[in-house]
């Protein structure tokens, strides 16, 4: 079974692969600049004290995204990838 | 297919291809051995922790103020002794050449005293505060502050990077306004510009510190009194932050309607700060720069005040009339006319508000040698000051129109008279309301 | 009058401003957050009796002109006609940083890569093979620890060799998927009127992703070229 979740749902310490980026315009471009494209591996590093924003490891750098934005990114968690392959 | 979709698809392909190349090359030339213990992660676990994140932030802020207050005491006293010794020498020279009384008054009692106050009171705290702050900046702590506080900014409709422009504001509000360029969305940039003044800049810090050590921490031992003053100053700063958030909230629901836009914030690795470089750079770049600006303004202002205080119309000096005129409003706000006048005449630079106030008080009363904080305190007590006056002074210092330089910068950055006027009127109204309410509650 | 104009590009937090300060001796504060250098800083240094002007561009992750800083950086490299561009790269996070290097290489071949923070990389047990990186990219790569001044003489030497034509670079060519490459070559044919100084392939790529700001820059350059 394929499980796709949005990036904000990825628990701390877990990794996944970006499948779809559903943001448009400037937000999309900013995400792309960070190297967030379909196929990118992302790991959730930590949540801020209020739970939003959340910091992710993206291509070797730690970048914090607000939940509004990370909601628009679909990912396939790694555990699922392993089972399917 | 729509043109925009086409662009988007091409853009995706370009970025994906570039990053594929980047990853392939990086993997080919990089060998990563056992990473060992990751200190950055451990530190981040602590400073962004759910329970310790906020307390640590405020503790750190408090410690910075405490070191500044404790460290500034002694050199401040030394400098002030030096300046008063030199004033004696100057007086001697003026008497020797039999200079006219007005020239002596203008140059020595006006210009020189204004200058020596600014230097001896401002230099030590600046020379301590700026390097400390720059160290935190170099260490990489400030982005963590932005990370911790972002949800508050988001709820106020502001941008997370605003905590960075606010940090710049601690040094100088004009610099904070310029720093707002890092915020891409125009709406949120304006909010950051309009509210930057709620962070007390370096020109206001010495005043806050002096007031809190004179009136808020009396009758307790030396060690704990500096602790209490540090806490008072920290609370004033936190009040400023809360007002910033409240006003941002208000603005984004009225004049600057809109949702907060997307935001990405990098949490860079911690870097060992270059201590020596930081010390030298923050001293020359910031301390000397800000001090020089203050001195340039303080000298002519000192002369102007001396004139106003010594030109008499009928029975009283010009300055007494002005202060008298402002007195009713000042009393309502728990202050007095002289204080309000000092803030108004201090428009060119916040640094000179206290010197103006002192000179005005002195021109009315007996001449005393203002060579220590306790003499200063006595002067204020004689003018009817209480701890409430000091508290409202601190609050009004936090909540009033920005200095001339900042206003000019706002005009330049926004290109609009309307926003510049709002940036001056908004904090002043808040200040009048807050002071009046507190005076009313206590009185 | 300066002999050579060098632009300094790089991601935020790579120590770019430290490189700038060290080379020019100009005291300027380096911060630890993105977008610190929104204003361009200028500085000068002398090497082998020649004067170099160094322009510190805003720190950016990319040159796709999605923000004012990116646009400033891109416009300078593209339209400011620098004699060489130095890209400062963080050795601890090469993948992210190479993205910018590749974008610069698409605009100009006059590039020196300054592989900075190698001491920090070593501490994190990350080893970067600078020589191999140079081979891959086709431009000189110099290892530096800017905060301690290590490697900066070599950087100046490489810049010197590059601007005097003593090094021939052979920058890596990015090949896009065929569907995009076809569009690129179609578009390049229509861009024959552009002045020689502009890289047509690069302009075509920007047009394909709907970059509006590039048109203004081209108009400016074309106007200058014809006047």
């Amino acid at each position: 079974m394929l499980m796709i979740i949005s990036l904000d749902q990825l628990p701390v310490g877990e990794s996944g692969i970006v499948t779809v980026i559903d943001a448009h315009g400037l937000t999309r471009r900013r995400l792309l600049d960070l190297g967030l494209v379909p196929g990118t591996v992302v790991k959730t590093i930590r949540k801020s004290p209020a739970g939003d924003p959340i910091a992710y490891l993206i291509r070797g750098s730690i970048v914090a995204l607000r939940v509004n934005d990370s909601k628009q990114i679909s990912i396939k968690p790694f555990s699922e990838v392993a089972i399917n392959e | 297919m729509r043109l925009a979709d086409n662009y988007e698809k091409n853009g995706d392909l370009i970025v994906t291809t570039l990053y594929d190349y980047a990853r392939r090359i990086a993997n080919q030339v990089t060998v990563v051995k056992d990473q060992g213990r990751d200190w950055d992660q451990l530190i981040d676990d602590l400073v962004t922790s759910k329970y310790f994140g906020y307390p640590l932030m405020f503790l750190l802020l408090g410690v910075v103020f405490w070191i500044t207050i404790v460290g500034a005491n002694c050199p401040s006293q030394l400098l002030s002794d030096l300046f008063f010794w030199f004033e004696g020498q100057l007086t001697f020279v003026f008497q020797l050449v039999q200079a006219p009384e007005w020239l002596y008054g203008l140059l020595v009692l006006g210009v020189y005293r204004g200058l020596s106050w600014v230097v001896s009171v401002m230099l030590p705290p600046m020379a301590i505060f700026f390097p400390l702050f720059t160290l935190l900046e170099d260490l990489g702590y400030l982005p963590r502050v932005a990370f911790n506080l972002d949800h508050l900014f988001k709820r106020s409709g502001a941008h997370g990077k605003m905590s960075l422009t606010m940090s710049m504001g601690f040094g100088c509000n004009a610099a904070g306004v310029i720093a707002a360029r890092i915020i891409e969305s125009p709406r949120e940039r304006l909010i950051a510009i309009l509210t930057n003044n709620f962070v007390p800049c370096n020109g206001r810090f010495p005043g806050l510190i002096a007031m809190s050590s004179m009136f808020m921490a009396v009758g307790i031992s030396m060690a704990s009194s500096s602790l209490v003053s540090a806490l008072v100053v920290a609370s004033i700063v936190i009040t400023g932050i809360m007002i910033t958030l409240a006003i941002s909230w208000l603005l984004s629901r009225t004049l600057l309607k809109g949702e907060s836009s997307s935001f990405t914030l990098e949490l860079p690795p911690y870097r060992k700060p270059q201590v020596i470089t930081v010390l030298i750079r923050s001293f020359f770049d910031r301390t000397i720069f800000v001090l020089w600006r203050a001195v340039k303004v303080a000298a002519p202002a000192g002369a102007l005040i001396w004139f106003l205080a010594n030109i008499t119309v009928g029975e009283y000096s010009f300055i007494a009339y002005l202060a008298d005129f402002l007195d009713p409003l000042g009393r309502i706000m728990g202050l007095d006319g002289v204080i309000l006048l000092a803030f108004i005449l201090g428009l060119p630079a916040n640094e000179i508000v206290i010197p103006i106030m002192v000179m005005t008080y002195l021109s009315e009363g007996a001449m005393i040698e203002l060579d220590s904080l306790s003499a200063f305190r006595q002067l204020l007590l004689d003018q009817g000051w209480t701890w409430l006056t000091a508290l409202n002074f601190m609050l009004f210092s936090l909540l009033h129109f920005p200095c001339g330089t900042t206003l000019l910068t706002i005009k330049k950055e926004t290109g609009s008279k309307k926003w510049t006027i709002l940036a001056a009127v908004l904090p002043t109204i808040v200040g009048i309301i807050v002071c009046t309410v507190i005076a009313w509650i206590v009185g | 009058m300066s002999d050579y104009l060098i632009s300094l590009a790089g991601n935020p937090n790579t120590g770019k401003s430290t490189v700038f300060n060290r080379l020019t001796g100009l005291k300027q504060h380096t911060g630890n957050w993105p977008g610190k250098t929104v204003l361009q800083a200028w500085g000068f240094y002398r090497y082998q009796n020649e004067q170099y002007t160094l322009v510190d561009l805003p720190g950016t992750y990319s040159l796709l002109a999605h923000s004012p800083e990116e646009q400033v950086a891109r416009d300078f490299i593209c339209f400011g006609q620098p004699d060489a561009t130095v890209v400062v790269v963080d050795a601890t996070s090469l993948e992210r940083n190479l993205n910018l290097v590749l974008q610069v290489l698409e605009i100009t071949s006059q590039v020196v890569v300054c592989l900075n923070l190698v001491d920090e990389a070593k501490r994190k047990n990350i080893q970067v093979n600078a020589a191999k990186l140079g081979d891959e990219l086709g431009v000189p790569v110099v290892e530096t620890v800017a905060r301690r001044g290590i490697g900066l003489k070599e950087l100046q030497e490489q810049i010197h060799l590059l601007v005097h034509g003593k090094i021939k670079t052979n920058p890596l060519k990015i090949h896009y998927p065929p569907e995009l490459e076809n569009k690129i070559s179609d578009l390049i044919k229509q861009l024959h009127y552009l002045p020689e100084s502009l890289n047509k392939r690069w302009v075509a790529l920007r047009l394909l992703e709907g970059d509006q700001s590039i048109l203004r820059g081209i108009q400016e350059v074309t106007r200058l070229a014809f006047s």
Side-chain angles (χ1 to χ4, degrees):
Chain A
M1 198 188 83
L2 271 172
M3 194 180 75
I4 303 284
I5 57 174
S6 62
L7 182 55
D8 61 301
Q9 303 291 322
L10 187 70
V12 172
E14 302 275 312
S15 306
I17 289 185
V18 175
T19 56
V20 180
I21 293 174
D22 197 24
H24 299 278
L26 201 63
T27 308
R28 182 188 188 84
R29 303 192 134 199
R30 297 211 73 80
L31 295 174
L32 292 184
D33 282 354
L34 293 171
L36 265 178
V37 289
T40 307
V41 176
V42 180
K43 182 180 180 187
T44 307
I45 298 293
R46 66 183 66 257
K47 293 188 176 190
S48 65
D52 179 15
I54 302 172
Y56 302 96
L57 182 68
I58 304 167
R59 300 189 187 264
S61 306
I62 298 176
V63 179
L65 302 177
R66 281 181 176 171
V67 170
N68 294 4
D69 299 326
S70 52
K71 255 196 171 63
Q72 299 172 309
I73 300 167
S74 304
I75 59 152
K76 191 157 42 158
F78 254 168
S79 48
E80 291 294 321
V81 179
I83 292 165
N84 281 301
E85 279 169 2
Chain B
M1 198 190 258
R2 286 192 307 125
L3 200 60
D5 291 339
N6 230 331
Y7 287 151
E8 209 161 73
K9 198 167 145 255
N10 292 338
D12 278 16
L13 269 178
I14 292 172
V15 177
T16 314
T17 312
L18 284 170
Y19 262 113
D20 280 348
Y21 272 78
R23 179 164 44 184
R24 189 181 55 76
I25 298 171
N27 286 342
Q28 273 175 12
V29 302
T30 314
V31 182
V32 183
K33 287 190 222 146
D34 173 37
Q35 290 245 345
R37 180 170 287 199
D38 194 339
W39 287 103
D40 277 22
Q41 292 303 319
L42 281 176
I43 298 172
D44 271 349
D45 281 346
L46 192 67
V47 301
T48 68
S49 115
K50 205 168 182 167
Y51 305 105
F52 299 116
Y54 290 123
L56 261 174
M57 233 158 51
F58 294 126
L59 190 71
L60 213 56
L61 193 69
V63 167
V64 168
F65 293 144
W66 182 72
I67 295 176
T68 308
I69 290 170
V70 171
N73 258 338
C74 187
S76 231
Q77 189 62 51
L78 274 175
L79 277 173
S80 136
D81 288 349
L82 190 75
F83 278 117
F84 276 93
W85 170 80
F86 192 68
E87 187 182 311
Q89 305 300 307
L90 274 180
T91 309
F92 179 70
V93 172
F94 271 76
Q95 282 165 351
L96 202 69
V97 298
Q98 293 183 323
E101 193 66 21
W102 66 267
L103 191 68
Y104 171 73
L106 179 69
L107 290 182
V108 177
L109 301 181
V111 174
Y112 180 79
R113 278 210 175 159
L115 279 180
S116 57
W117 168 275
V118 166
V119 174
S120 63
V121 170
M122 289 192 50
L123 182 63
M126 278 199 304
I128 299 171
F129 179 78
F130 273 159
L132 282 179
F133 204 78
T134 316
L135 279 178
L136 283 181
E137 208 177 305
D138 261 28
L139 198 66
Y141 181 65
L142 295 188
R144 273 74 186 178
V145 172
F147 182 63
N148 283 347
L149 291 178
D150 179 61
H151 85 287
L152 291 176
F153 287 100
K154 187 182 158 196
R155 279 186 16 203
S156 316
H159 199 284
K161 281 187 193 160
M162 209 164 102
S163 48
L164 303 181
T165 64
M166 286 166 71
S167 304
M168 290 295 287
F170 276 118
C172 168
N173 291 127
V177 168
I178 293 175
R181 289 181 187 175
I182 63 174
I183 298 172
E184 301 89 18
S185 128
R187 190 188 72 86
E188 285 138 319
R189 208 181 125 219
L190 254 176
I191 292 181
I193 290 176
L194 291 177
T195 57
N196 193 268
N197 185 49
F198 292 122
V199 177
C201 67
N202 196 75
R204 292 182 272 172
F205 259 116
L208 295 180
I209 290 171
M211 288 301 161
S212 77
S213 27
M214 281 189 300
F215 285 91
M216 301 294 154
V218 272
I220 30 183
S221 70
M222 254 313 276
S224 51
S225 85
S226 46
L227 205 66
V228 171
S229 347
L231 278 178
V232 171
V233 176
S235 333
I236 293 284
V237 170
I238 291 167
T239 308
I241 295 172
M242 290 192 309
I243 289 172
T244 301
L245 291 169
I247 297 291
S248 304
W249 185 86
L250 206 70
L251 282 172
S252 60
R253 265 152 200 82
T254 53
L255 290 175
L256 292 164
K257 274 202 179 100
E259 285 299 302
S260 47
S261 63
S262 76
F263 136 99
T264 55
L265 173 79
E266 190 183 353
L267 300 179
Y270 289 99
R271 301 256 153 86
K272 211 166 73 192
Q274 304 151 273
V275 178
I276 302 294
T277 326
V278 163
L279 286 180
I280 296 170
R281 253 194 277 136
S282 61
F283 186 73
F284 284 104
D285 284 9
R286 294 191 172 181
T287 311
I288 296 299
F289 173 78
V290 175
L291 194 70
W292 176 235
R293 197 174 72 89
V295 164
K296 271 194 306 198
V297 178
L304 177 72
I305 305 303
W306 188 85
F307 267 122
L308 288 179
N310 284 276
I311 296 171
T312 48
V313 186
E315 224 176 310
Y316 297 105
S317 70
F318 203 68
I319 211 162
Y321 279 110
L322 288 174
D324 250 21
F325 173 74
L326 291 168
D327 208 53
L329 177 62
R331 296 288 166 192
I332 293 173
M333 293 166 60
L335 302 167
D336 65 28
V338 175
I339 302 172
L340 283 189
L341 182 65
F343 275 112
I344 292 171
L345 292 176
L347 178 72
N350 280 298
E351 291 86 346
I352 58 171
V353 168
I354 289 186
I356 292 174
M357 192 175 82
V358 171
M359 280 189 263
T360 316
Y361 279 147
L362 288 178
S363 74
E364 288 179 339
M367 248 349 210
I368 54 160
E369 284 228 335
L370 212 60
D371 57 352
S372 67
L373 268 191
S374 60
F376 183 30
R377 179 162 180 269
Q378 195 52 51
L379 170 79
L380 296 180
L381 286 175
D382 291 345
Q383 296 289 336
W385 276 52
T386 62
W387 67 270
L388 175 69
T389 325
L391 176 67
N392 278 358
F393 177 92
M394 288 195 277
L395 285 170
F396 198 64
S397 171
L398 181 75
L399 310 168
H400 74 288
F401 44 85
C403 74
T405 314
T406 305
L407 284 174
L408 284 179
T409 312
I410 294 175
K411 172 86 194 357
K412 223 163 96 193
E413 292 293 307
T414 60
S416 139
K417 263 195 200 118
K418 192 184 88 180
W419 293 120
T420 313
I421 292 170
L422 186 69
V425 171
L426 197 70
T428 313
I429 291 176
V430 174
I432 292 175
I433 292 173
V434 168
C435 289
T436 307
V437 168
I438 287 183
W440 182 72
I441 292 173
V442 175
Chain C
M1 191 54 204
S2 186
D3 298 318
Y4 297 103
L5 181 62
I6 312 294
S7 58
L8 192 64
N11 283 17
N13 299 306
T14 51
K16 185 168 65 69
S17 294
T18 312
V19 173
F20 179 75
N21 287 337
R22 279 285 181 159
L23 283 181
T24 61
L26 193 85
K27 298 297 172 202
Q28 185 222 22
H29 182 67
T30 54
N32 211 357
W33 66 61
K36 189 61 182 278
T37 329
V38 182
L39 290 171
Q40 285 177 23
W42 298 68
F44 306 94
Y45 71 85
R46 293 196 74 81
Y47 186 75
Q48 304 234 341
N49 279 324
E50 283 173 314
Q51 172 107 341
Y52 291 80
T53 304
L54 198 61
V55 178
D56 192 16
L57 300 176
T60 59
Y61 295 116
S62 102
L63 290 180
L64 301 180
H66 299 162
S67 70
E69 297 113 63
E70 287 175 17
Q71 200 173 328
V72 167
R74 189 207 60 193
D75 284 354
F76 195 87
I77 298 173
C78 186
F79 305 121
Q81 317 252 320
D83 294 291
T85 298
V86 175
V87 189
V88 184
V89 164
D90 176 355
T92 64
S93 129
L94 203 55
E95 186 176 331
R96 153 75 47 81
N97 282 260
L98 281 179
N99 177 48
L100 180 72
V101 176
L102 295 175
Q103 290 186 32
V104 174
L105 286 180
E106 281 193 309
I107 302 177
T108 167
S109 57
Q110 291 290 93
V111 175
V112 178
V113 171
C114 166
L115 186 66
N116 196 26
L117 302 173
V118 288
D119 56 335
E120 221 166 288
K122 221 165 260 164
R123 227 183 21 247
K124 291 188 170 174
N125 279 325
I126 301 171
Q127 275 182 3
V128 180
N129 188 333
K132 201 167 168 192
L133 181 61
D135 290 344
E136 287 286 338
L137 297 174
V139 294
V141 173
V142 183
E143 288 182 280
T144 61
V145 182
R147 61 164 77 205
R148 285 193 274 143
I150 298 170
L152 294 179
K153 271 272 159 294
E154 178 60 20
L155 181 64
Q156 287 176 323
E157 172 66 17
Q158 292 297 326
I159 295 170
H160 165 84
L161 292 174
L162 188 68
V163 296
H164 285 89
K166 288 178 185 159
I167 309 178
K168 275 277 161 274
T169 57
N170 179 25
L172 174 71
K173 273 231 147 35
I174 307 280
H175 299 286
Y176 291 96
E179 49 172 316
L180 197 59
E181 284 293 344
N182 291 339
K183 289 185 197 167
I184 296 170
S185 41
D186 282 352
L187 199 51
I188 286 180
K189 284 180 204 139
Q190 297 172 42
L191 292 175
H192 55 84
Y193 61 88
L194 286 184
E196 276 305 309
S197 61
L198 275 180
N199 179 336
K200 293 186 185 58
R201 181 181 164 84
W202 183 79
V203 173
L205 276 165
R206 300 292 76 79
L207 292 174
L208 283 171
E209 57 163 3
D211 185 335
Q212 308 285 330
S213 60
I214 188 72
L215 296 170
R216 235 178 310 123
I218 292 174
Q219 267 169 4
E220 191 65 20
V221 168
T222 321
R223 197 174 52 77
L224 289 176
F226 286 115
S227 64

